[in-house]
Amino acid sequence: MFLLDHTHDPLIGSWVPGADDHPDFPVQNLPLCIFARGTDIEEPGRAGVRIGDHILDLSAVVAAELIGDPAALAAATAAGRNGSLNDVFALGAAPRQALRHAVHALLREGAPERDTVARMLTPVNDVQFRLPARVGDYTDFYAGIHHARRVGMLFRPDNPLLPNYQWIPVGYHGRASTVHVSDNSVVRPRGQVAGPDGSPSFEPSSRLDFELELGVWLCDSPTPGTVLPIARAAEQVAGYCLLNDWSARDIQSWEYQPLGPFLSKSFATSVSPYVVTPEALAPYRCALTRPAGDPTPLDYLSNDLDLAVGGLDIDLEVEMSTATMRAKDMPVLTLSRSSSKHLYWTVAQLIAHHVAGGCELNAGDLLGTGTISSADETGLGSLLELSRGGQEEIRLPSGETRTFLLDGDEVTIRGRASHPGRAPIGFGECRGRVLPS
């Protein structure tokens, strides 16, 4: 599942202009997406592959009969399903891997099909992106232990981690209907907020926050009621994206007991437009190590291979700009630099636990890892942490201050896996701007 092959060779270049020096999308990446040409919001979305600063139209590749089976099956499935990669995800790993190999062969330097394929490319600035898949279900986990511990310190200084955290991947069922692709504006939510005397009022949230996360797109799960061994759980991953699970902290603090967040989370979740495949990330697999003394996971969550390579080494970054900063043409402010290595649970463990009780997963379902913060102060993945629960103001280059997001603020999450001697694998960006309630 995680084996390296010729598509990872950093010495192989592409004939597509700008692809070889691209920090995110060289020929070793090739993420999937759904796009439409121009600005017409009514134009049907079509499946594509990002290469450099262009999008390759898979429907054109299919029409020209440039690839054979099983890659042709995956490409035709994508091309024949307007505006959705669900059916491609459902095919599983083998056709997806074959499609990667076939597209890599078409785009690599020296490809004999170059002149034909060149006519199938569209500059990325000339397209609009759609949500990669129809999200049937969305589950947000809480797998970032440094975030969990730091937030716990705000409310339970003597006992920041609850007893179950190191035993069980904690998560909750989110709202699929409000998952949107990057650049979609986020309207400030309304909900019940507790007043000083403990009685609530219904009003716009004044403690709007972002959360730095990875998103995981899923394939179909085994038949409900059957056991999914942890050794096979990673096979259910169709790809990865960046994810911002926007949060209304004041609404959340009132409503989350005893059942958990509701209106404080259901109003918006933003994802980046590209599906970065597990195959592209094979060079960046790593171990997720637990501190000495932490409990060993139960057997259904334990696997030697997953312990050795179940983690991902992806650098993550959060940027912010305000309306004033943009009006003055000021550079964005980097709020956080973190890494997916700071997750406490692997993606395979999240999936294995998710289905252990009999839950069925469907192609196109989405998981969020939970906020990924680092152990030090440079990688805090939310304003709740950065402002110490709203007690400390964050000073911006414009002279403004923030504890939580105001209207007009824009948050951008970026992700990239890179290492000397390996081709960089980027995720693009996950961007959203806050609009008034």
Side-chain angles (χ1 to χ4, degrees):
M1 186 69 175
F2 307 130
L3 296 179
L4 301 183
D5 58 36
H6 66 281
T7 63
H8 303 102
D9 187 346
L11 299 180
I12 294 178
S14 172
W15 54 263
V16 178
D20 288 352
D21 298 322
H22 204 283
D24 288 330
F25 303 111
V27 74
Q28 290 80 9
N29 191 346
L30 305 177
L32 299 167
C33 64
I34 295 293
F35 75 102
R37 295 191 181 96
T39 58
D40 185 358
I41 62 173
E42 300 299 327
E43 181 177 340
R46 58 182 71 196
V49 174
R50 176 77 185 259
I51 173 69
D53 289 323
H54 293 78
I55 304 294
L56 173 65
D57 187 343
L58 285 180
S59 63
V61 172
V62 171
E65 299 182 346
L66 294 178
I67 55 178
D69 280 331
L73 170 63
T77 301
R81 191 74 177 181
N82 267 355
S84 166
L85 293 173
N86 292 66
D87 289 353
V88 179
F89 293 169
L91 293 175
R96 183 183 68 238
Q97 292 167 354
L99 178 60
R100 171 181 168 81
H101 283 207
V103 172
H104 184 275
L106 294 176
L107 297 175
R108 66 178 292 170
E109 193 167 14
E113 304 90 350
R114 170 176 176 166
D115 291 344
T116 301
V117 177
R119 295 191 290 270
M120 304 174 184
L121 297 175
T122 302
V124 70
N125 290 336
D126 294 339
V127 308
Q128 54 177 311
F129 292 103
R130 308 285 173 78
L131 197 63
R134 300 183 314 278
V135 184
D137 283 292
Y138 164 52
T139 302
D140 193 34
F141 282 92
Y142 198 50
I145 191 168
H146 302 304
H147 171 75
R149 182 176 283 119
R150 201 172 276 110
V151 171
M153 285 288 293
L154 294 173
F155 303 103
R156 299 179 304 275
D158 297 329
N159 186 29
L161 284 184
L162 294 175
N164 65 348
Y165 189 88
Q166 294 165 316
W167 289 99
I168 184 173
V170 176
Y172 76 96
H173 195 84
R175 182 69 187 177
S177 63
T178 43
V179 176
H180 299 291
V181 76
S182 177
D183 278 341
N184 194 72
S185 298
V186 176
V187 177
R188 183 176 297 277
R190 291 174 174 267
Q192 287 196 23
V193 177
D197 63 353
S199 60
S201 59
F202 185 77
E203 59 188 65
S205 170
S206 61
R207 294 167 68 90
L208 183 60
D209 201 356
F210 66 84
E211 290 190 343
L212 169 61
E213 304 191 28
L214 278 181
V216 185
W217 293 103
L218 298 181
C219 309
D220 286 321
S221 68
T223 304
T226 61
V227 176
L228 175 63
I230 179 67
R232 294 189 53 207
E235 297 173 13
Q236 307 309 123
V237 177
Y240 296 87
C241 64
L242 304 173
L243 186 147
N244 183 350
D245 194 45
W246 304 84
S247 299
R249 303 297 186 185
D250 44 358
I251 299 173
Q252 183 177 0
S253 65
W254 171 250
E255 73 178 6
Y256 85 100
Q257 301 180 64
L259 294 181
F262 189 39
L263 299 189
S264 58
K265 293 280 194 175
S266 63
F267 62 96
T269 300
S270 300
V271 295
S272 53
Y274 304 109
V275 180
V276 178
T277 64
E279 292 73 36
L281 289 168
Y284 295 98
R285 292 281 168 180
C286 66
L288 287 188
T289 56
R290 290 192 163 202
D294 280 15
T296 300
L298 299 179
D299 286 347
Y300 79 102
L301 296 174
S302 296
N303 172 261
D304 290 342
L305 181 61
D306 189 54
L307 286 174
V309 295
L312 289 168
D313 186 1
I314 303 167
D315 293 325
L316 301 167
E317 187 173 277
V318 182
E319 298 172 347
M320 176 181 168
S321 70
T322 68
T324 298
M325 292 169 65
R326 293 190 298 273
K328 294 181 177 180
D329 199 25
M330 300 180 69
V332 297
L333 172 66
T334 298
L335 289 175
S336 175
R337 289 188 174 93
S338 188
S339 169
S340 57
K341 291 191 297 183
H342 297 306
L343 288 169
Y344 191 73
W345 298 95
T346 69
V347 169
Q349 288 173 320
L350 301 183
I351 294 171
H353 180 68
H354 203 315
V355 302
C359 177
E360 181 178 3
L361 302 178
N362 296 307
D365 284 357
L366 180 66
L367 305 182
T369 59
T371 306
I372 306 174
S373 297
S374 65
D376 60 52
E377 300 295 308
T378 64
L380 305 185
S382 67
L383 287 173
L384 183 64
E385 298 165 84
L386 285 162
S387 70
R388 308 296 188 270
Q391 298 303 307
E392 297 182 12
E393 292 184 332
I394 302 164
R395 294 206 163 272
L396 307 179
S398 57
E400 301 170 277
T401 61
R402 292 288 188 276
T403 51
F404 293 96
L405 297 172
L406 299 184
D407 295 343
D409 290 350
E410 185 172 275
V411 176
T412 302
I413 297 174
R414 303 184 190 277
R416 179 183 301 126
S418 63
H419 193 277
R422 304 175 193 172
I425 303 297
F427 286 70
E429 62 181 35
C430 178
R431 184 193 305 268
R433 185 177 298 181
V434 180
L435 299 182
S437 177

